Amino acid sequence: IMYENLSYKITHRDATSNARSGLLQTPHGKIETPNFVFCATKGAMKSVTTQQVKSAGADIILCNTYHLFLQPGGNLVQKHGGLHKMLNWNGPMFTDSGGFQIFSLGHGGVTAEIKGKSSGVRPKTLLKIDEIGATFRSYIDGRTCLLTPEGSIKTQCQLGADIILALDECTPFHTNRLYTERSMNMSHRWELRSLVEFKKHDTSMQALYGIIQGGVYEDLRKTSAEFVNNNYFFGQAIGGSLGESKSQMHEIVHMTCQYVDNQKPTHLLGICGLGDIIHGITCGIDTFDCVHPTRLARHGGAILEPQHADGKEFINIKNSKFSEDLSPIDENCNCYCCKNFTKAYIHYLFKAKELLGGQLLAIHNIEFMSSFVKKIREAIKTGTFMDILKKWNIFR
């Protein structure tokens, strides 16, 4: 029986917005939503172990099919008993389909192409996208590879994540409407093929999400959402171009959420800004994922709420003003980093090029994001979510 061991239940609804809290049950445990999904892209969280990730409060992680398809390959992961056993992660897990990475690596940059400006350079690693699938050169050894919808699903079944995604083409924001519509329609055909392939495997232990495309065009987003609604996907993920500015991104997320099946879990792909997460939750988004917390940590960034970070959402610990600062990153944070080390020490670690600096900030950022979404869940449950919206000047 499809999705026999998975379920999603809305437990509380906010009276002032579309925010809701829920319970997502998977074969490897349950998580409360809204929640943040941390990225162990290549089968590892950068610089931290899965035990440290769990200790820092993370409930769910995501691995990337594109990278694991190239190496070590689905067969070797399957021999380990799946990603959960290979990573020593006994909790819920996502895998994404690989489409986004084929596009972003092929086009020379994720932010530049998906959520910003065009590079204007034709990719060299991405050779062809057509009805069959995506043909590309491996960034590892240059060999030519083909990832089809069927291949993506087969690999994800070998990887064994609880929640998997259908293969789609991820278009950049600057493509015109004609290309966006053609791409969306092809992605829909790919998603149907993904569903057919998925049914050939043990569908009781994994859940397949459809992906909503359509770029910046409301009628296309509506069409795509209705397509996902009308097919037997467990949930839906909002993907593709979300515009060229934060305000446009918010508009597209809000608009798209009006057309989704709001009884199913909804995931927003690749978004991590604190204000963006709160806005997404007001629209009815349940889960978010992004590499940002650990990537930022490796470059000296510690996530904090704006009032503690000069209006930004993080501080750069490499800044000289922290060289003799004997306070922790966040006095209110209970993470291992903040309970034991000073800003000055972590600043020194980065200056000395000690890897421990990035590890400590990663632990802090994971704990911060986990605590951040937990506070939002509690606010929705207790009817105080409006207080968070007022604090962040977000009104819907």
Side-chain angles (χ1 to χ4, degrees):
I1 302 172
M2 286 184 73
Y3 313 136
E4 181 181 6
N5 294 292
L6 297 105
S7 64
Y8 171 71
K9 179 183 178 182
I10 298 170
T11 57
H12 298 83
R13 291 186 183 273
D14 176 52
T16 61
S17 70
N18 289 323
R20 73 266 190 98
S21 62
L23 202 61
L24 183 59
Q25 180 75 50
T26 79
H28 290 91
K30 61 186 178 183
I31 67 164
E32 292 186 79
T33 62
N35 216 315
F36 187 81
V37 184
F38 294 92
C39 292
T41 304
K42 298 180 181 180
M45 293 287 289
K46 291 286 194 295
S47 79
V48 288
T49 67
T50 49
Q51 182 179 354
Q52 289 172 313
V53 172
K54 179 67 76 174
S55 296
D59 295 319
I60 183 168
I61 63 174
L62 177 148
C63 295
N64 178 257
T65 300
Y66 170 83
H67 293 288
L68 297 174
F69 169 78
L70 292 177
Q71 67 174 19
N75 288 332
L76 183 60
V77 176
Q78 192 172 40
K79 288 177 181 177
H80 280 84
L83 281 174
H84 289 88
K85 290 187 177 179
M86 192 166 83
L87 274 64
N88 189 32
W89 174 260
N90 185 26
M93 184 186 295
F94 265 80
T95 46
D96 60 6
S97 67
F100 177 74
Q101 279 68 29
I102 289 171
F103 170 81
S104 64
L105 291 174
H107 284 250
V110 177
T111 31
E113 291 293 336
I114 299 294
K115 303 177 181 72
K117 304 176 178 72
S118 166
S119 66
V121 178
R122 181 63 186 168
K124 293 182 179 180
T125 58
L126 178 59
L127 302 178
K128 182 172 63 172
I129 290 182
D130 59 18
E131 200 67 38
I132 297 171
T135 305
F136 59 97
R137 294 193 191 281
S138 166
Y139 70 92
I140 299 168
D141 56 17
R143 74 184 189 277
T144 300
C145 302
L146 171 65
L147 187 63
T148 64
E150 294 81 6
S152 174
I153 295 298
K154 179 183 177 181
T155 300
Q156 291 185 81
C157 288
Q158 291 175 317
L159 300 178
D162 302 276
I163 296 169
I164 69 176
L165 269 61
L167 185 67
D168 64 327
E169 181 188 5
C170 190
T171 55
F173 92 93
H174 62 277
T175 53
N176 60 36
R177 181 194 163 85
L178 179 61
Y179 185 90
T180 301
E181 184 171 15
R182 287 176 177 171
S183 172
M184 178 194 73
N185 288 329
M186 185 179 72
S187 286
H188 290 171
R189 294 189 292 273
W190 282 7
E191 291 179 63
L192 289 176
R193 287 164 55 192
S194 295
L195 199 52
V196 170
E197 177 66 25
F198 180 65
K199 290 177 181 178
K200 296 177 182 178
H201 301 268
D202 182 1
T203 58
S204 67
M205 300 302 288
Q206 293 182 295
L208 179 62
Y209 279 35
I211 300 183
I212 299 168
Q213 287 288 348
V216 299
Y217 307 100
E218 180 168 2
D219 61 325
L220 298 184
R221 286 285 180 179
K222 179 175 184 288
T223 296
S224 193
E226 289 173 347
F227 163 81
V228 174
N229 295 345
N230 292 332
N231 286 282
Y232 198 45
F233 295 106
F234 180 82
Q236 59 248 330
I238 298 174
S241 167
L242 298 175
E244 59 180 325
S245 66
K246 195 173 284 285
S247 61
Q248 189 177 24
M249 178 182 72
H250 290 176
E251 289 173 8
I252 293 168
V253 171
H254 173 66
M255 166 260 290
T256 304
C257 284
Q258 296 179 71
Y259 302 113
V260 304
D261 182 343
N262 62 18
Q263 295 303 310
K264 293 181 178 180
T266 304
H267 183 79
L268 183 57
L269 289 158
I271 298 300
C272 186
L274 303 181
D276 301 332
I277 287 175
I278 294 173
H279 176 270
I281 289 170
T282 70
C283 299
I285 302 293
D286 299 297
T287 49
F288 306 78
D289 78 274
C290 193
V291 299
H292 182 70
T294 47
R295 175 179 285 171
L296 187 67
R298 296 196 301 278
H299 294 90
I303 302 174
L304 293 171
E305 291 195 15
Q307 65 266 36
H308 303 302
D310 297 327
K312 299 179 180 179
E313 294 186 356
F314 67 92
I315 59 170
N316 184 352
I317 201 66
K318 294 189 289 186
N319 192 305
S320 60
K321 70 179 181 180
F322 298 119
S323 62
E324 297 186 15
D325 189 332
L326 302 186
S327 66
I329 296 289
D330 184 347
E331 293 179 352
N332 297 314
C333 180
N334 292 316
C335 78
Y336 174 75
C337 172
C338 291
K339 285 294 184 183
N340 294 283
F341 304 103
T342 66
K343 293 189 186 84
Y345 176 61
I346 303 169
H347 171 87
Y348 152 73
L349 290 175
F350 275 91
K351 289 297 183 184
K353 302 189 185 305
E354 289 288 347
L355 297 178
L356 179 61
Q359 184 182 52
L360 291 175
L361 290 191
I363 290 171
H364 165 77
N365 288 350
I366 293 168
E367 175 108 11
F368 181 95
M369 293 299 297
S370 300
S371 176
F372 180 73
V373 290
K374 183 178 181 180
K375 289 175 185 175
I376 294 173
R377 289 196 299 270
E378 293 304 311
I380 294 172
K381 292 177 185 177
T382 57
T384 57
F385 185 58
M386 178 56 75
D387 294 340
I388 292 178
L389 299 186
K390 288 178 180 177
K391 177 181 176 181
W392 285 80
N393 294 316
I394 294 173
F395 299 97
R396 175 53 62 193

